[in-house]
Amino acid sequence: MVSDLSGDQTGKVLGVFSERETTIRMWRVDAAATLALQADSFYFLMSGSGKVSGQACSRHTTIRTEAGEQGTFTAEAETTLLQLHVPVLSMAPDRSN
């Protein structure tokens, strides 16, 4: 996996699809580390546990961030998350010409 700047988390892009740049990424977050959640994304906890905005998250929890929304995931144990980033369709470039 490719290391993120903090060293407490690593991420690997699994694929980028179409001109809208829908992205699938796998994250590993160490215990007690945080991950800034990207807007317009779904995160699926594959293993581990943590909190988002004080709410507990465990295996198989899904987290959704909307357009312009900021969030932080704090891991309580080493956690693996799968991220699906789907950019806002209304902000996609006009390719009709």
Side-chain angles (χ1 to χ4, degrees):
M1 292 191 167
V2 178
S3 180
D4 193 76
L5 295 176
S6 74
D8 296 334
Q9 52 188 287
T10 55
K12 181 177 182 179
V13 174
L14 302 178
V16 179
F17 306 92
S18 83
E19 67 277 358
R20 300 220 194 273
E21 297 186 10
T22 297
T23 305
I24 299 175
R25 179 179 284 122
M26 185 77 68
W27 290 101
R28 183 192 52 79
V29 184
D30 291 341
T34 59
L35 174 68
L37 302 178
Q38 185 178 9
D40 301 317
S41 293
F42 292 90
Y43 292 84
F44 180 74
L45 270 74
M46 299 183 64
S47 66
S49 61
K51 290 186 177 182
V52 175
S53 301
Q55 293 202 358
C57 302
S58 59
R59 186 174 180 220
H60 298 159
T61 297
T62 302
I63 303 163
R64 179 181 178 197
T65 57
E66 297 188 19
E69 185 177 19
Q70 299 290 324
T72 302
F73 173 81
T74 303
E76 294 177 343
E78 184 176 297
T79 302
T80 302
L81 300 102
L82 182 67
Q83 176 191 7
L84 175 60
H85 173 67
V86 184
V88 178
L89 296 177
S90 63
M91 298 187 71
D94 181 8
R95 303 211 187 259
S96 61
N97 294 330

